């Protein structure tokens, strides 16, 4: 979309209208209320260094289903336009960006002034304003008892689906609905729904347990995820692709295999953390030092879950063919992010597990892709 616009059109469409602000306010208020009142499994987070554990109500799937149903009914009744997001994408993007800046400045100020000593709220101040604003000061800040980190990642993932649905409506309306668009929409919708089915797994991920809440994370969750992960959809609105049957079959295989590896690896680790004796692929697990799983996917490479995620990301772009690098933004970005993250995670694990980690490295020498990396 951006590529088709000249600056005279682009700049005005970046100025948030009052309507885009209302959309964001409605969205955040809905998520806050739904997150609090809808039923859902309450999960205890990982044990923090002071022995405390946060609680997360995992009702994202219900909140998302209800939201889509409400929006669908409102669209049918003509109260909202299903094209609202697709037509006002840039305005919403800039409104979200301004929100990210404001909210992270507020987080910076409250973090700096906090005298809380608990692991989740203890301020970590380096003294460098940009660093502290970017990386955040507190691990799990809250607003009106809402865990903001969990809230923002949920908002981002749901936002991605809502943007996609609006793009889908736009392609139906302008008569450009194609096999590529259908494939892209199905893969992303399955990925996002699966995320919410397994929302509890999120509570033990790096972002939740190790990253403080600053601009990097808030921007990543609220803007980066929904607006850049949907580039393929925006691109397909303006470009036609002819897919052959073998290409469609190959694309589906990349998705299915990627999903099995991604979900399988994350599930095995999650189950292992809950009960280290649970069999892995029908056999007793290989465990290093009583703490690290070295069988199943975790015996093939130290981050098979990243490999699966990368295959999934590729499957979201393949429907766009290979005529342009633009739709490959997401897999390329994810490759860079996950390699960087895997390096940081290795450092953290080496410090935490010491000789146990060294033994694990010996048993499982591959980082992400066996025999390659
Ligand atoms: P992981 O879920 O891989 O978590 C890493 C942590 O798991 C380590 O710090 C360690 O924590 C524990 N661990 C590592 N190895 C083992 C082992 N062998 N046995 C037991 N525990 C182990 O990483 P992430 O949180 O980064 O990723 C979670 C998922 O989210 C991945 O599938 C990833 O692809 C996806 N993701 C997607 C992104 C996107 O933009 N699409 C961005 C980032 C992640 P501990 O101290 O608890 O033992």
């Amino acid at each position: 979309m951006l590529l088709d616009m000249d600056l005279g059109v682009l700049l005005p469409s970046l100025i948030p209208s009052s309507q885009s602000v209302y959309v964001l306010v409605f969205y955040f208020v809905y998520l806050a209320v739904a997150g609090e009142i809808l039923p859902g499994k309450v999960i205890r987070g990982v044990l923090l260094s002071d022995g405390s554990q946060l609680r997360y109500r995992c009702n994202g799937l219900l909140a998302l289903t209800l939201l889509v149903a409400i929006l669908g009914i409102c669209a049918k009744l003509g109260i909202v336009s299903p094209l609202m997001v697709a037509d006002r994408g840039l305005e919403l993007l800039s409104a979200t960006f301004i929100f990210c800046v404001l909210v992270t400045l507020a987080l910076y100020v409250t973090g700096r002034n906090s005298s809380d000593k608990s692991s989740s709220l203890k301020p970590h101040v380096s003294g460098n304003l940009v660093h502290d604003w970017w990386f955040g000061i507190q691990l799990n800040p809250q607003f009106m008892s809402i865990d903001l980190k969990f809230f923002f990642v949920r908002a981002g993932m749901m936002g991605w689906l809502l943007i996609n649905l609006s793009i889908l409506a736009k392609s139906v309306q302008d008569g450009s609905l194609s096999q590529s668009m259908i494939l892209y929409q199905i893969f992303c919708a399955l990925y996002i729904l699966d995320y919410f089915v397994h929302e509890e797994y999120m509570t033990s991920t790096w972002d939740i347990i190790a990253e403080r809440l600053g601009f990097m994370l808030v921007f990543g969750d609220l803007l980066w995820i929904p607006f850049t992960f949907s580039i393929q959809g925006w691109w397909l609105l303006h470009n036609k692709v002819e897919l052959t049957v073998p290409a469609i079959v190959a694309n589906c295989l990349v998705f299915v295999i990627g999903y099995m590896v991604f979900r399988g690896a994350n599930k095995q680790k999650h189950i292992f953390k809950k009960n280290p004796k649970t069999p892995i692929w029908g056999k007793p697990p290989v465990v290093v030092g009583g703490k690290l799983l070295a069988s199943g996917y975790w015996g093939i490479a130290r981050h098979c879950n990243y490999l699966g995620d990368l295959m999934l990301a590729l499957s979201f772009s393949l429907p766009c063919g290979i005529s342009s690098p633009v739709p490959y933004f997401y897999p390329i970005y994810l490759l860079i992010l996950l390699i960087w993250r895997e390096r940081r995670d290795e450092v953290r694990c080496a410090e935490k597990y010491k000789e146990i980690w060294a033994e694990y490295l010996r048993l499982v020498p591959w980082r992400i892709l066996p025999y390659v990396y």
Side-chain angles (χ1 to χ4, degrees):
M1 182 175 59
L2 280 171
L3 302 174
D4 295 342
M5 289 185 168
D6 63 33
L7 253 114
V9 181
L10 178 65
L11 290 180
S13 57
L14 274 169
I15 299 169
S17 64
S18 49
Q19 217 174 345
S20 54
V21 176
Y22 295 149
V23 170
L24 275 191
V25 171
F26 165 80
Y27 184 48
F28 290 139
V29 170
Y30 170 81
L31 286 184
V33 175
E36 286 303 297
I37 64 170
L38 292 179
K41 202 163 155 191
V42 177
I43 296 293
R44 280 168 178 268
V46 294
L47 207 57
L48 298 174
S49 51
D50 62 358
S52 62
Q53 269 178 306
L54 297 176
R55 284 163 192 270
Y56 300 94
R57 189 192 292 250
C58 296
N59 55 8
L61 187 63
L62 184 56
L64 176 61
T65 314
L66 191 63
L67 179 60
V68 172
I70 292 171
L71 290 174
I73 292 167
C74 289
K76 196 97 191 130
L77 297 174
I79 300 168
V80 294
S81 161
L83 309 183
M84 162 68 202
V85 180
D87 286 342
R88 293 177 177 269
L90 289 175
E91 270 179 41
L92 280 166
L93 182 142
S94 57
T96 308
F97 179 77
I98 294 167
F99 176 81
C100 291
V101 174
L102 294 178
V103 87
T104 49
L105 286 176
L107 283 171
Y108 174 83
V109 174
T110 40
R112 277 218 68 141
N113 293 327
S114 166
S115 53
D116 204 301
K117 297 273 181 287
S118 65
S119 299
S120 48
L121 294 175
K122 191 166 108 188
H124 298 262
V125 184
S126 74
N128 178 329
L129 188 147
V130 177
H131 177 278
D132 291 342
W133 167 72
W134 181 268
F135 287 106
I137 291 185
Q138 293 170 305
L139 187 62
N140 301 107
Q142 302 196 343
F143 177 68
M144 293 169 76
S145 79
I146 295 168
D147 183 283
L148 289 176
K149 211 193 262 182
F150 199 59
F151 179 85
F152 289 146
V153 70
R154 179 181 270 194
M157 291 299 287
M158 288 189 192
W160 180 14
L161 183 70
L162 297 179
I163 290 178
N164 276 357
L165 291 178
S166 189
I167 290 173
L168 179 65
K170 178 103 181 148
S171 75
V172 171
Q173 194 223 31
D174 65 18
S176 69
L177 184 63
S178 59
Q179 281 176 335
S180 298
M181 179 64 90
I182 293 170
L183 278 184
Y184 165 74
Q185 290 283 347
I186 291 175
F187 293 155
C188 290
L190 288 175
Y191 181 78
I192 297 165
L193 289 175
D194 174 78
Y195 171 91
F196 284 109
V197 169
H198 298 97
E199 197 178 18
E200 66 177 275
Y201 294 3
M202 188 63 207
T203 60
S204 60
T205 57
W206 165 276
D207 282 351
I208 296 281
I209 62 179
E211 208 81 84
R212 293 196 288 275
L213 190 64
F215 184 78
M216 185 178 79
L217 212 57
V218 175
F219 175 85
D221 288 343
L222 290 184
L223 196 143
W224 195 260
I225 292 178
F227 290 97
T228 68
F229 292 11
S230 54
I231 284 177
Q232 300 93 314
W234 297 108
W235 188 86
L236 283 170
L237 276 180
H238 301 273
N239 296 276
K240 239 184 149 41
V241 181
E242 292 296 331
L243 291 177
T244 60
V245 174
I248 294 175
V249 173
N251 197 168
C252 291
L253 274 177
V254 175
F255 176 81
V256 171
I257 296 170
Y259 177 78
M260 283 164 56
V261 176
F262 166 77
R263 185 46 67 214
N266 284 324
K267 201 167 196 166
Q268 283 179 352
K269 188 182 73 161
H270 189 77
I271 290 171
F272 172 76
K273 293 272 180 197
K274 282 193 156 176
N275 177 7
K277 293 202 171 107
T278 313
I280 300 287
W281 289 339
K283 290 188 193 143
V286 178
V287 182
V288 187
K291 294 194 172 142
L292 294 169
L293 176 62
S295 57
Y297 288 109
W298 298 86
I300 296 174
R302 300 197 294 276
H303 266 107
C304 258
N305 51 348
Y306 289 180
L307 174 65
D309 214 356
L310 288 166
M311 290 179 74
L312 285 169
L314 184 65
S315 77
F316 302 160
S317 299
L318 288 173
C320 302
I322 50 168
S323 65
S324 164
V326 175
Y328 288 83
F329 178 85
Y330 175 46
I332 293 168
Y333 144 78
L334 195 66
L335 180 67
I336 297 167
L337 174 95
L338 292 182
I339 288 178
W340 178 53
R341 179 175 283 218
E342 187 271 336
R343 297 267 165 169
R344 291 167 73 205
D345 192 43
E346 289 269 318
V347 173
R348 180 180 170 274
C349 290
E351 272 170 22
K352 179 173 173 182
Y353 293 110
K354 300 194 169 62
E355 60 283 353
I356 301 180
W357 189 256
E359 172 65 8
Y360 181 47
L361 291 192
R362 206 184 51 74
L363 278 177
V364 186
W366 302 105
R367 291 170 183 271
I368 294 179
L369 182 59
Y371 305 104
V372 178
Y373 179 71

